[in-house]
């Protein structure tokens, strides 16, 4: 007598009693063959007339005999550790006390169930003994190995991360042949979609000697070269030229992203070939013909074949068909709008080419599309089906079938994903509220307003609209993804006077009402939850320079209406360099030079004697501002007013017209602004506009001083002390009027989130005076360079950047800038969008500054061009670097005259 295992054939799996007499010693699953244990048949070695009393141990199997019915008396499991027996036996579907046939379908089905789970590499069922009509069975199992480590070889980091997510094999999971095959297929598809059609994928499985029943998987990828298109062959295109289909230079071809390699005009275009791109290219070509009126156009045949190891050739055989025109357009089912009004919205008429692409845009996609008219008036359930009701020759009659439905009111507005702001702070930005009529414009405006708060990822703002067809209402769910927008600055710089330390912190979620309140729901380091801003900044390099500032601002002062309020205060001090040190350093340096020691120069080697605390300029300022959102011309407009006071305190300060005394600047700024951009970090549409005027009181009109004879050139030549004393009187109260205009527009040149965007900018600034004999030396324009203001010897200038030139080099040499202009065209493309945003840019720029407003000439510009990159980090803010080349001369008429030339510029912060 003996017990043995053998593979079960498909016939046996259905009819266990028809098994052949041959057997093997071990079972594995191959193809559709199901492995199972040898089933038992009772031999006649120790026959007796009462079989129920006979004990047969390890009985032999007779598959040619008749199956015998038995009662399952016991069921044991062997070969698997770490699992309870009842769990493993439960997988078989067999139960003690169950009636079974030996051999029979019950045991066959049990084996199938174990294989179906995929957890076992070996399954067999044997009989320990049969006592009478009772069978005692044992299930023998072997678990498949678990993955202890996965190695990705031949891939970049980003590719490894993508593969880990796609293949779905994790450490600790059991590995099966199907999982290996699936992973290989997914890897082949992944690299094929990236253009590596010839990539070789190998997955090796090896035992892990450090663990029992564990394996190491090695994903080995030989990507080869990307497959590119060598030649595109097109036939049958009589009405659309081949060069237009392929696309030339920067023109987008009708084949989308399919371009020929090795062609000069395609140098900036992608040439790789993938199945997905090929499918898209054919769809775009069909759409192109449809836009030309060729509604019957079809691609009769297309082929792709290998040119060499790195290239393929593609071919298209086109049948263009007839060109069609619109004969009649009729509207059916419209009660809200007249047919004439809908015709004007559509913008297509009798005799026009039957442009199906344009038709779809005018019906559904454009901002002023027919569909948006209905959506903005609450008709969320509206449907429109353009139907060709008659085709006569080359003419088509269109019937616009409209089902308007009922107007939908908003039932519920829910906000998810917000735990930083009070919900009321988010809801006050919404233009969609329960009870309102549904409006697509209001929905999109709400998304823009939420994005402009800066607390949520603008790229993930997609409202979930849930129409309720039964009651004619709609629910709107806002699924928000929070991001950090507080900023921290710690930086070190090096200048003429040594190390400059900057430190700053900006909290964008401050709550003034909770400062002394008891509500601690959002309290952390500072009271939070209302989206107000508070900023603290400090800069110093010790004795030479110190600057401190603090500010508070909110866009909803009082929390009820969108009224802005801001308050700021700042103080700075800068000392001068000791004239004694200058003289001694100069003499020592010159002595050493002529004595043969070192070189001429190197003055600044002892900073303790370098500073002169008795010579300084101090600046103290405070400002308070208020703004209000307008309703006319539209609610993108805002008017604001800021009252500011600055006190300049000078002592022996040789860099100003005023060397000693105090200068007071009391001014009022009024600004009209409009901002309709769709994204605060990477705008794709909309514009920014600002027109402002800053005024001081006309002190000279009522102070009774004769400014024409005050601090004149003759006084300067004859009595310097008197001259500087008169300058002190002249500018004790500063007066001027300052006019500025700024605008920026953003236009997406391509589709999708990652699109090419054109930014245009225009700026003009003028600084005028009430009295021509009292021109203000303060608030002038310092133009050129990166546009970043640091500590300087002036403190009274507004810094205007123009890349490609040194800082301040466009301001007339030795004079002040009283007028400027700047014009920019900038192409931007995003590399990464979200919490961290990175985009590249290329630009051309021009502008200039003038010492007299009457010399202002917008056509006399200093030109430049360059490239750059911007990076936004949540805790740091926006920063970047630009390289630019200035084409024109600066410092004209002086010995320092030269071209702007090659310049690098570092950028910190967002610039209007």
């Amino acid at each position: 007598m003996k017990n043995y295992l053998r593979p079960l054939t498909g016939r046996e799996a259905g009819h266990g009693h028809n098994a052949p007499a041959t057997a093997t010693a071990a079972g594995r699953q191959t193809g559709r063959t199901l492995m199972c244990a040898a089933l038992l048949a009772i031999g006649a070695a120790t026959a007796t007339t009462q079989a129920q009393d006979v004990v047969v141990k390890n009985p032999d199997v007779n598959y040619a005999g008749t199956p015998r019915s038995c009662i399952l008396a016991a069921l044991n499991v062997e070969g698997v550790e770490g699992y309870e027996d009842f769990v493993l036996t439960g997988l078989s579907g067999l139960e003690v006390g169950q009636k079974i046939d030996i051999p029979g379908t019950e045991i066959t089905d049990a084996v199938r169930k174990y294989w179906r789970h995929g957890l076992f590499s070996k399954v067999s069922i044997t009989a320990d003994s049969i006592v009478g009509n009772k069978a005692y069975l044992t299930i023998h199992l072997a678990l498949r190995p678990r993955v202890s480590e996965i190695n990705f070889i031949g891939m970049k980091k980003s590719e490894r991360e993508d593969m880990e997510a796609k293949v779905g094999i994790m450490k600790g999971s059991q590995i099966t042949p199907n999982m290996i095959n699936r992973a290989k297929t997914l890897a082949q598809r992944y690299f094929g979609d990236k253009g590596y059609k010839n990539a070789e994928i190998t997955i090796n499985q090896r035992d892990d000697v450090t663990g029992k029943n564990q394996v190491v998987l090695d994903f080995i990828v030989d990507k080869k070269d990307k497959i590119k298109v060598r030649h595109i062959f097109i036939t049958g295109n009589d009405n659309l030229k081949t060069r237009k289909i392929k696309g030339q230079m920067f023109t987008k071809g009708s084949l989308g992203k399919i371009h020929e390699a090795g062609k000069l005009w395609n140098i900036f275009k992608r040439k790789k070939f993938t199945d997905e791109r090929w499918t898209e290219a054919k769809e775009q070509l069909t759409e192109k013909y449809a836009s030309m009126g060729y509604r019957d156009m079809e691609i009769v045949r297309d082929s792709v074949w290998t040119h060499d190891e790195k290239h393929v050739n593609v071919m298209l055989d086109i049948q263009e068909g007839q060109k069609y025109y619109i004969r009649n357009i009729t509207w059916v089912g419209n009660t809200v709008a007249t047919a004439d009004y809908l015709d004007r919205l559509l913008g297509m008429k009798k005799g026009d080419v039957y442009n199906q692409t344009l038709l779809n845009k005018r019906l559904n996609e454009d901002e002023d599309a027919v569909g948006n008219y209905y959506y903005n008036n609450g008709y969320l359930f509206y449907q429109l089906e353009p139907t060709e009701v008659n085709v006569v020759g080359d003419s088509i009659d269109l019937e616009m079938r409209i089902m308007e439905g009922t107007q939908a009111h908003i039932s519920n507005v829910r906000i998810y994903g917000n735990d930083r702001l009070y919900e009321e702070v988010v809801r006050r930005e919404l233009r969609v509220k329960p009870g309102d009529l549904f409006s697509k414009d209001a929905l999109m405006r709400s998304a823009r307003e939420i994005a402009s708060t800066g607390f949520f990822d603008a790229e993930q703002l997609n409202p979930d609209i849930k129409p309720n067809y039964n009651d004619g209402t709609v629910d709107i769910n806002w699924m928000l993804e929070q991001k950090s927008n507080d900023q921290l600055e710690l930086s070190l710089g090096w200048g003429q006077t040594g190390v400059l330390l900057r430190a700053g912190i900006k909290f964008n979620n401050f709550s003034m009402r909770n400062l002394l309140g008891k509500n601690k729901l959002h309290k952390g380091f500072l009271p939070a939850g209302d989206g107000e801003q508070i900023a603290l900044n400090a800069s110093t390099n010790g004795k030479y320079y110190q600057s401190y500032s603090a500010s508070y601002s909110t866009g909803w002062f009082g929390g009820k209406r969108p009224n802005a309020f801001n308050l700021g205060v700042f103080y700075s001090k800068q000392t001068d360099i000791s004239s004694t040190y200058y003289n001694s350093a100069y003499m020592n340096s010159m002595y050493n030079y002529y004595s043969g020691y070192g070189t001429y120069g190197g003055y600044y080697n002892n900073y303790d004697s370098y500073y002169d605390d008795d010579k300084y300029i101090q600046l103290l300022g405070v400002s308070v501002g208020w703004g209000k959102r307008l309703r006319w011309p539209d609610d993108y407009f805002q008017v604001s007013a800021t009252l500011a006071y600055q006190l300049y305190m000078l002592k022996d300060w040789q860099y100003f017209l005023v060397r000693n005394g105090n200068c007071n600047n009391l001014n009022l700024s009024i600004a009209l602004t409009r901002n309709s951009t769709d994204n605060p970090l990477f705008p794709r549409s909309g514009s920014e506009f600002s027109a402002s005027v800053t005024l001081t009181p006309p002190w000279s009109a009522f102070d009774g001083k004769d400014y024409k004879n005050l601090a004149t050139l003759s006084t300067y030549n004859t009595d310097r002390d008197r001259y500087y004393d008169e300058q002190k009187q002249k500018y004790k109260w500063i007066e001027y009027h300052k006019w500025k205009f700024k605008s920026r527009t953003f236009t997406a040149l391509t589709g999708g989130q990652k699109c090419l965007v054109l930014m245009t900018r225009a700026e003009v600034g003028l600084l005028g005076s009430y009295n021509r004999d009292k021109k203000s030396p303060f608030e002038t324009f310092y133009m050129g360079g990166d546009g970043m203001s640091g500590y300087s010897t002036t403190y009274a200038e507004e810094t205007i950047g123009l890349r490609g030139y040194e800082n301040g080099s466009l301001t007339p040499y030795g004079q002040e800038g009283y007028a400027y202009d700047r014009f920019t065209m900038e192409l931007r493309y995003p590399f990464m969008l979200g919490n961290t945003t990175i985009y590249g840019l290329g630009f051309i720029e021009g502008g200039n500054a003038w010492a007299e407003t009457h010399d202002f000439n917008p056509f006399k510009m200093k030109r430049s061009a360059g490239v750059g990159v911007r990076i936004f980090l949540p805790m740091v803010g926006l920063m970047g670097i630009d390289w630019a080349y200035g084409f024109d001369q600066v410092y004209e008429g002086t010995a320092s005259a030269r071209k702007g030339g090659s310049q690098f510029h570092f950028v910190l912060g967002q610039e209007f």
Side-chain angles (χ1 to χ4, degrees):
M1 292 184 181
K2 62 181 179 179
N3 178 33
Y4 56 89
L5 305 174
R6 69 179 184 82
L8 196 67
T9 67
R11 184 182 178 192
E12 293 174 73
H15 307 282
H17 60 279
N18 290 329
T22 59
T24 60
R28 289 188 178 180
Q29 181 182 15
T30 60
R32 295 184 177 178
T33 303
L34 193 64
M35 298 298 298
C36 82
L39 305 178
L40 302 177
I42 308 302
T46 56
T48 178
T49 58
Q50 297 180 352
Q52 65 271 20
D53 297 327
V54 176
V55 178
V56 181
K57 293 185 176 181
N58 300 321
D60 202 353
V61 178
N62 184 356
Y63 289 99
T66 302
R68 177 178 177 179
S69 295
C70 294
I71 302 299
L72 181 59
L75 188 62
N76 299 317
V77 179
E78 293 182 353
V80 177
E81 299 177 356
Y83 294 90
E84 296 290 345
D85 285 354
F86 74 87
V87 175
L88 296 172
T89 57
L91 297 177
S92 68
L94 298 174
E95 296 180 358
V96 174
Q98 177 184 352
K99 185 177 179 180
I100 61 175
D101 290 336
I102 301 179
T105 58
E106 296 86 0
I107 297 178
T108 301
D109 290 343
V111 173
R112 279 193 178 128
K113 289 178 181 178
Y114 281 112
W115 285 122
R116 195 177 297 125
H117 275 83
L119 302 176
F120 308 100
S121 60
K122 174 184 176 183
V123 179
S124 65
I125 301 178
T126 62
D128 295 334
S129 62
I130 297 179
V131 179
N133 68 340
K134 296 181 179 180
Y136 297 81
L137 304 183
T138 299
I139 303 172
H140 302 274
L141 302 173
L143 282 173
R144 293 193 183 276
R146 293 186 180 275
V147 178
S148 63
E149 187 177 353
I150 305 175
N151 298 319
F152 294 94
I153 303 170
M155 309 179 203
K156 297 184 293 187
K157 181 181 178 181
S158 60
E159 293 171 340
R160 290 198 300 269
E161 293 173 350
D162 290 343
M163 287 299 299
E164 287 174 355
K166 286 181 178 295
V167 300
I169 301 177
M170 298 179 292
K171 291 182 181 180
S173 62
Q174 290 180 302
I175 193 70
T176 67
N178 285 340
M179 293 172 68
I180 295 292
N181 293 335
R182 177 179 176 274
K184 190 171 182 178
T185 301
L186 291 174
Q188 197 78 51
R189 185 182 305 164
Y190 171 77
F191 285 102
D193 291 343
K194 294 174 73 68
Y196 300 100
K197 305 291 289 186
N198 296 329
E200 293 182 0
I201 314 295
T202 305
I203 303 179
N204 293 333
Q205 178 178 325
R206 50 189 174 90
D207 293 335
D208 186 352
V209 296
T210 64
K212 183 179 179 181
N213 200 34
Q214 293 184 340
V215 295
V216 176
L217 294 183
D218 294 327
F219 280 72
I220 304 173
V221 178
D222 183 4
K223 293 189 287 189
K224 308 295 185 182
D225 291 319
K226 283 186 178 180
I227 297 299
K228 300 180 180 179
V229 177
R230 173 56 70 184
H231 297 296
I232 300 174
F233 301 98
I234 303 172
T235 59
N237 56 311
D238 298 327
N239 295 286
L240 185 60
K241 295 182 179 179
T242 299
R243 64 179 179 84
K244 288 188 176 181
I245 295 178
K246 293 181 179 182
Q248 305 293 320
M249 294 301 289
F250 294 101
T251 304
K252 182 179 178 180
S254 301
L255 292 180
K257 297 179 180 179
I258 297 295
H259 302 103
E260 291 176 322
K263 300 292 190 294
L264 180 62
W265 50 82
N266 289 332
I267 189 171
F268 297 111
K269 298 178 181 178
R270 298 178 178 179
K271 276 80 69 176
K272 75 176 182 181
F273 177 86
T274 67
D275 293 337
E276 181 182 4
R277 287 189 173 189
W278 181 231
T279 301
E280 290 178 357
K282 291 183 287 185
E283 291 174 353
Q284 289 185 20
L285 182 60
T286 302
E287 291 177 5
K288 177 63 177 178
Y289 269 97
S291 70
M292 298 170 60
Y294 293 92
R295 63 187 281 271
D296 300 329
M297 175 270 181
E298 63 176 328
I299 299 174
V300 180
R301 184 166 58 98
D302 67 277
S303 300
V304 180
W305 68 93
T306 301
H307 179 83
D308 54 38
E309 291 183 355
K310 300 180 181 180
H311 299 87
V312 296
N313 296 329
V314 298
M315 184 275 291
L316 290 171
D317 186 12
I318 298 170
Q319 183 174 316
E320 294 180 334
Q322 186 174 354
K323 188 172 184 177
Y324 290 89
Y325 299 86
I326 297 174
R327 188 172 70 170
N328 293 305
I329 299 176
T330 57
W331 300 86
V332 178
N334 55 302
T335 62
V336 177
T338 64
D340 289 340
Y341 180 75
L342 294 176
D343 281 337
R344 290 196 297 272
L345 280 181
L346 182 63
M348 301 177 72
K349 61 185 184 300
K350 180 178 180 178
D352 287 352
V353 172
Y354 183 36
N355 185 338
Q356 292 174 282
T357 303
L358 178 61
L359 178 66
N360 182 59
K361 286 184 176 181
R362 296 305 306 149
L363 291 178
N364 304 305
E365 297 179 6
D366 292 344
E367 288 187 8
D368 58 345
V370 173
N372 285 341
Y373 168 78
Y374 277 93
Y375 291 141
N376 291 331
N377 285 279
Y379 292 91
L380 177 63
F381 308 108
Y382 137 94
Q383 294 179 13
L384 189 154
E385 182 180 355
T387 305
E388 299 173 3
V389 294
N390 200 10
V391 179
V392 180
D394 64 351
S395 300
I396 293 178
D397 293 338
L398 290 177
E399 186 173 272
M400 303 297 184
R401 298 174 179 175
I402 298 177
M403 186 182 71
E404 295 175 337
T406 59
Q407 287 180 302
H409 286 79
I410 299 171
S411 178
N412 296 297
V413 178
R414 303 182 182 94
I415 298 172
Y416 300 96
N418 167 50
D419 59 13
R420 296 187 64 204
L421 295 168
Y422 290 116
E423 184 160 317
E424 65 193 64
V425 175
V426 181
R427 286 191 177 274
R428 70 191 183 192
E429 302 293 345
L430 298 179
R431 305 301 177 92
V432 287
K433 298 178 181 179
D436 291 350
L437 271 178
F438 176 82
S439 169
K440 184 179 178 181
D441 278 350
L443 189 71
M444 295 299 100
R445 180 65 184 275
S446 298
R448 177 198 174 275
E449 297 301 324
I450 292 177
S452 65
T453 65
F455 292 98
F456 307 101
D457 188 350
E459 304 301 328
Q460 305 298 325
L461 267 175
N462 292 310
D464 182 23
I465 303 171
K466 299 289 187 182
N468 305 313
Y469 295 97
N470 294 332
D471 59 7
T473 62
V474 59
D475 293 339
I476 299 175
N477 300 321
W478 293 95
M479 317 301 292
L480 305 180
E481 184 174 320
Q482 293 183 146
K483 67 176 185 178
S484 174
N485 65 343
D486 294 330
Q487 296 179 9
L488 175 67
E489 178 189 0
L490 289 172
S491 62
L492 290 174
W494 180 265
Q496 181 185 18
T497 56
V499 176
L500 176 65
L501 172 65
R502 296 178 186 269
I505 189 166
K506 183 179 182 181
F507 295 98
N508 288 297
N509 193 22
F510 184 71
S511 176
M512 182 64 74
R513 63 174 171 168
N514 286 344
L515 185 61
L516 302 174
K518 296 180 180 180
N519 187 348
K520 297 186 178 181
L521 176 63
H522 288 274
K523 274 199 172 183
F525 175 72
L526 284 175
D530 279 329
E532 301 165 351
Q533 294 85 41
I534 184 171
L536 303 171
N537 293 278
S539 301
T540 182
N541 71 343
K543 297 180 180 179
Y544 181 70
Y545 172 76
Q546 299 176 45
S547 175
Y548 310 96
S549 66
S551 64
Y552 163 83
S553 63
T554 177
W556 288 77
F557 187 62
K560 302 297 182 182
R561 291 181 175 83
N563 296 328
F565 175 79
N566 59 77
L567 178 67
V569 60
F570 63 91
Y571 169 79
S572 63
K573 178 181 179 181
Q574 181 176 339
T575 61
D576 199 2
I577 300 170
S578 171
S579 59
T580 304
Y581 179 85
Y582 264 133
N583 294 335
S584 62
Y586 174 85
M587 294 304 297
N588 290 336
S589 179
M590 184 172 63
Y591 174 79
N592 291 334
Y593 176 74
Y594 285 111
S595 300
Y597 301 102
T599 59
Y600 184 66
Y603 300 165
Y604 316 117
N605 52 16
N606 184 356
Y607 289 123
D608 290 336
S609 59
Y610 186 64
Y611 307 120
D612 188 346
D613 293 337
D614 289 333
K615 299 178 181 180
Y616 60 80
I617 177 173
Q618 298 183 73
L619 179 59
L620 177 65
V622 62
S623 64
V624 58
W626 175 88
K628 179 179 176 59
R629 186 183 296 172
L630 302 179
R631 296 181 180 179
W632 184 88
D634 59 41
D635 59 0
Y636 288 113
F637 279 90
Q638 184 176 28
V639 63
S640 61
T642 302
L643 181 65
Y645 172 74
Q646 295 97 34
L647 173 62
Y648 296 85
M649 296 168 281
L650 307 101
K651 182 178 180 182
D652 294 331
W653 195 250
Q654 58 180 320
Y655 310 102
F656 266 7
L657 289 176
V658 181
R659 295 194 171 189
N660 290 280
N662 297 337
C663 298
N664 301 271
N665 184 357
L666 177 65
N667 61 78
L668 175 66
S669 296
I670 301 173
L672 178 67
T673 62
R674 186 182 188 274
N675 186 343
S676 61
T677 56
D678 64 335
N679 189 303
L681 294 180
F682 188 78
R684 302 171 182 83
S685 64
S687 62
E688 296 174 347
F689 156 89
S690 172
S692 65
V693 58
T694 303
L695 306 167
T696 66
W699 306 107
S700 62
F702 47 77
D703 63 7
K705 295 181 180 180
D706 182 10
Y707 288 97
K708 183 176 182 180
N709 296 311
L710 199 62
T712 62
L713 180 60
S714 61
T715 304
Y716 177 82
N717 293 328
T718 58
D719 190 343
R720 295 288 178 88
D721 292 337
R722 178 186 168 191
Y723 173 82
Y724 289 119
D725 185 64
E726 291 181 354
Q727 290 282 27
K728 176 181 174 181
Q729 299 177 44
K730 188 174 183 178
Y731 297 110
K732 182 177 181 180
W733 288 96
I734 305 164
E735 64 176 34
Y736 59 87
H737 50 90
K738 190 174 188 178
W739 305 80
K740 293 178 65 177
F741 171 83
K742 295 182 178 182
S743 70
R744 290 200 303 177
T745 65
F746 300 90
T747 306
L749 302 181
T750 57
Q753 277 192 316
K754 287 191 173 182
C755 58
L756 193 65
V757 175
L758 174 66
M759 185 278 286
T760 63
R761 172 168 50 201
E763 290 183 33
V764 176
L766 299 172
L767 179 64
S769 59
Y770 303 109
N771 187 330
R772 64 180 180 180
D773 297 314
K774 191 183 179 182
K775 287 181 60 178
S776 172
F778 298 84
E779 300 300 324
T780 54
F781 302 112
Y782 183 77
M783 189 169 188
D786 51 33
M788 295 175 59
S789 59
Y791 73 90
S792 67
T793 57
T794 58
Y795 276 85
E797 297 174 321
E798 179 179 351
T799 303
I800 309 296
L802 194 111
R803 294 163 288 188
Y805 298 91
E806 295 178 356
N807 288 355
S809 60
L810 271 65
T811 302
Y813 186 77
Q815 301 180 67
E816 307 294 342
Y818 285 86
Y820 86 94
D821 64 7
R822 177 169 63 158
F823 304 94
T824 305
M825 292 183 65
E826 193 170 276
L827 280 174
R828 301 176 172 183
Y829 186 81
F831 305 123
M832 181 183 297
L833 294 171
N835 286 341
T836 299
T837 298
I838 303 175
Y839 63 89
L841 54 90
F843 61 87
I844 56 175
E845 200 162 44
N848 208 347
W850 292 268
E852 298 289 344
T853 55
H854 59 75
D855 291 332
F856 175 79
N857 184 353
F859 301 103
K860 185 179 180 181
M861 293 189 295
K862 308 294 184 182
R863 302 158 300 166
S864 66
V867 295
V869 66
R870 296 291 183 272
I871 302 174
F872 177 84
L873 300 175
M875 283 297 293
V876 179
L878 188 70
M879 57 185 179
I881 184 173
D882 294 330
W883 172 85
Y885 188 88
F887 300 105
D888 297 301
Q889 281 198 344
V890 294
Y891 304 124
E892 294 172 296
T894 70
S896 302
R898 60 182 180 276
K899 282 189 176 182
S902 177
Q903 303 283 339
F904 281 96
H905 305 287
F906 294 93
V907 179
L908 289 175
Q910 186 79 272
E911 184 185 10
F912 188 119

